[in-house]
Amino acid sequence: MAIKNVDELSKTFLHRLALELAEHGLAVADPYNAVKNHVRICNGRICVADNAIDVVGRIHVIGFGKASKRMAMALSDILGDKIIGGVVITPDEESSYGNIRFVKGDHPIPGENTLKSSRALLEYVTSNVLEDDIVFVVVSGGGSALFEVPEDGIDLKDVAWISKELMKRGSDIFELNAVRKRFSKVKGGKLLRFLKCRKVISLIVSDVVGDRLDTIASGPTAPDETTFQDVYTILKRRGLWNELRESMRRIVEMGLEGKIPDTPKSGDKIFEKVLNVIIASNKIVLDSMAKKAREYGFNTLVLTSMLEGEAREVGKVLASIIKNIERYNEPIQKPAAIFAGGETVVTVKGRGIGGRNQELCLSLSISIKSMRNVVALCMGTDGVDGISPAAGAIVDGETYHEGLNQGLDAQEYLENNDSYTYFSKIRKSIVTGYTGTNVNDIFIALIK
């Protein structure tokens, strides 16, 4: 996926290189490329990462997520007619590719499309998958909403309601998924109970900071370490326990009393047939960009793939690291390329147009004003930044002064959460369009 306005943004070698590294990162995160990089045929066996798997029976492909269509298409191109069929749920309209059928689900809140398509997926595996078969499961962000079959007695509207309420009351993705797993037949490793086959190979694109398998798409093929007690505590803390429908509260109570089984845990025999492989993630992208930068003679440092916090404050911290390298050649010597990734937040107090990546860049540009030979960028790998049409922004030591020359006070725009307006006026916004994948945000800084 290319940056659409790359020529406009490439005013110096450092700018061009930063943008080239970002485009390289997007290519690594591309779900089609990621599958191609991890799956191949070798001597009649299927090689997945470092694992060689014998093909005894037939091969099926199932999956769900915003990137899963391109993942399944890559598998089809690699394995061809070895794949006898499959069902993959995406946000797009129904279609097919090879022997794989794509069906439509709902995102970000599961609805009737999700329920219909999820039942079709389970009907496919229970009717077609045999004991000696291999099932590929392609999983990516958005899978929690696109794939859902509630437990008996639970209405899908109840699942949608609890999801909305938890998000409104401040629950993070870990709390949200812990609760949803208790009311689902397929989340938290439960999908495996429907797969009566010899081998399950789950290919995963991670959109979760830290790449926790039990959290990505609610961990349909991974052990779940949360418990009914955790869920009870979350619901009480968020003030939702007494608002639950009786059917939902009863499931939690029966779980606490040990009257119904919990999600499968580590050590459960159900996982002996499973190979979970993360094929694209923020960490994978950062490491690949760092390797590319070294080819240009830069000393490199991957700071973290778990960047979190208020975007403008994180911008100041990253600026302080840039300043330390520029002044003291520490923690690495110049020429230096530093990388970070994760997902920051913005506490919106103003009425402007922006996003976390552009707000981070605006804050950073104020901190590095007048510094020479420094270029930095921050962008969302999905091509979307907040409520703006941009993916992020690229800045340097002159960005602050370029704004002043046009009568723009960067600090005022920062306070109004209006980073996109600022960067669009001085032509520093990065525009990609929707990329079809999401491995969180990436940050690049080059110090010559």
Side-chain angles (χ1 to χ4, degrees):
M1 174 61 67
I3 295 171
K4 294 180 179 180
N5 57 336
V6 66
D7 291 338
E8 178 182 57
L9 300 174
S10 301
K11 68 177 189 179
T12 70
F13 165 75
L14 276 191
H15 290 80
R16 286 194 299 275
L17 179 56
L19 294 162
E20 180 184 331
L21 292 171
E23 288 190 322
H24 175 76
L26 292 178
V28 172
D30 180 86
Y32 186 94
N33 294 342
V35 172
K36 285 273 194 173
N37 289 336
H38 285 81
V39 181
R40 67 190 188 281
I41 300 293
C42 48
N43 298 322
R45 308 170 89 188
I46 298 175
C47 292
V48 181
D50 296 325
N51 303 273
I53 298 151
D54 291 316
V55 180
V56 178
R58 306 170 306 166
I59 300 174
H60 310 263
V61 176
I62 62 172
F64 27 85
K66 291 184 286 185
S68 293
K69 184 173 185 177
R70 284 179 54 75
M71 296 169 74
M73 291 169 67
L75 275 178
S76 182
D77 288 345
I78 295 165
L79 302 177
D81 290 338
K82 289 183 175 65
I83 298 171
I84 70 154
V87 175
V88 175
I89 308 170
T90 80
D92 306 321
E93 296 301 321
E94 187 160 333
S95 62
S96 62
Y97 191 86
N99 292 327
I100 303 169
R101 183 161 66 100
F102 299 110
V103 293
K104 181 179 177 61
D106 304 295
H107 185 271
I109 301 298
E112 288 306 313
N113 287 321
T114 286
L115 188 57
K116 177 183 176 182
S117 295
S118 300
R119 285 173 173 163
L121 188 154
L122 293 185
E123 171 64 24
Y124 174 85
V125 298
T126 54
S127 301
N128 294 281
V129 175
L130 304 177
E131 202 171 289
D132 284 334
D133 291 353
I134 295 172
V135 176
F136 277 92
V137 187
V138 289
V139 180
S140 64
S144 291
L146 292 164
F147 182 48
E148 179 62 284
V149 178
E151 289 282 9
D152 294 339
I154 303 296
D155 192 280
L156 188 64
K157 292 179 181 178
D158 297 334
V159 177
W161 173 80
I162 194 69
S163 298
K164 288 179 182 176
E165 287 299 317
L166 285 165
M167 287 187 280
K168 279 199 308 188
R169 301 185 192 202
S171 286
D172 60 17
I173 190 65
F174 304 107
E175 285 191 3
L176 182 63
N177 283 349
V179 173
R180 289 194 291 200
K181 289 171 187 176
R182 266 72 213 171
F183 306 123
S184 171
K185 287 187 175 182
V186 295
K187 292 176 168 37
K190 296 180 191 176
L191 172 61
L192 296 173
R193 294 171 179 167
F194 295 90
L195 302 179
K196 310 299 184 183
C197 56
R198 182 175 64 87
K199 192 70 177 177
V200 176
I201 304 169
S202 194
L203 304 178
I204 302 164
V205 173
S206 172
D207 67 335
V208 173
V209 174
D211 302 332
R212 282 181 52 167
L213 289 173
D214 63 341
T215 303
I216 304 163
S218 299
T221 61
D224 174 42
E225 301 310 320
T226 64
T227 65
F228 277 107
Q229 183 61 55
D230 295 326
V231 171
Y232 175 74
T233 302
I234 291 165
L235 293 170
K236 290 285 285 187
R237 183 168 65 246
R238 299 300 179 186
L240 283 165
W241 178 250
N242 294 326
E243 296 181 28
L244 285 180
R245 294 187 188 276
E246 177 58 31
S247 57
M248 302 177 85
R249 190 160 53 245
R250 186 63 187 142
I251 282 180
V252 178
E253 288 172 341
M254 291 175 68
L256 291 171
E257 295 166 5
K259 293 180 178 179
I260 57 174
D262 205 342
T263 49
K265 312 300 180 190
S266 295
D268 193 308
K269 289 185 177 180
I270 201 170
F271 296 109
E272 291 177 357
K273 64 183 178 183
V274 180
L275 174 63
N276 287 310
V277 182
I278 293 178
I279 62 170
S281 69
N282 196 268
K283 179 71 165 59
I284 291 171
V285 167
L286 296 179
D287 288 344
S288 186
M289 291 191 299
K291 181 180 178 182
K292 187 80 171 173
R294 287 194 291 273
E295 294 174 4
Y296 283 90
F298 280 76
N299 300 308
T300 63
L301 175 64
V302 176
L303 292 169
T304 180
S305 63
M306 302 185 192
L307 197 64
E308 295 181 291
E310 191 70 33
R312 64 180 63 192
E313 300 304 322
V314 173
K316 292 177 184 177
V317 172
L318 291 172
S320 71
I321 297 170
I322 291 170
K323 290 176 180 177
N324 211 67
I325 294 171
E326 198 278 334
R327 177 71 62 86
Y328 301 115
N329 275 313
E330 293 177 346
I332 57 172
Q333 292 189 337
K334 295 173 289 188
I338 62 173
F339 303 89
E343 196 165 289
T344 59
V345 296
V346 173
T347 302
V348 179
K349 298 178 180 179
R351 305 181 68 177
I353 300 172
R356 58 182 181 263
N357 290 286
Q358 292 164 97
E359 181 140 327
L360 186 156
C361 280
L362 186 54
S363 172
L364 185 142
S365 72
I366 295 169
S367 295
I368 66 168
K369 61 178 179 286
S370 301
M371 289 184 67
R372 300 180 62 190
N373 297 321
V374 174
V375 170
L377 69 78
C378 192
M379 63 180 291
T381 53
D382 60 357
V384 179
D385 192 33
I387 58 171
S388 80
I394 185 167
V395 299
D396 55 40
E398 296 303 311
T399 300
Y400 176 83
H401 301 292
E402 288 178 40
L404 287 182
N405 292 339
Q406 296 186 37
L408 310 176
D409 186 330
Q411 191 65 47
E412 286 184 8
Y413 279 83
L414 183 63
E415 294 306 316
N416 196 34
N417 303 117
D418 204 14
S419 53
Y420 170 72
T421 302
Y422 182 88
F423 286 124
S424 63
K425 287 184 176 181
I426 64 171
R427 300 183 180 279
K428 296 286 187 180
S429 296
I430 296 173
V431 179
T432 62
Y434 183 60
T435 65
T437 192
N438 181 19
V439 293
N440 304 126
D441 304 330
I442 55 174
F443 171 83
I444 303 167
L446 303 177
I447 305 99
K448 217 28 186 133

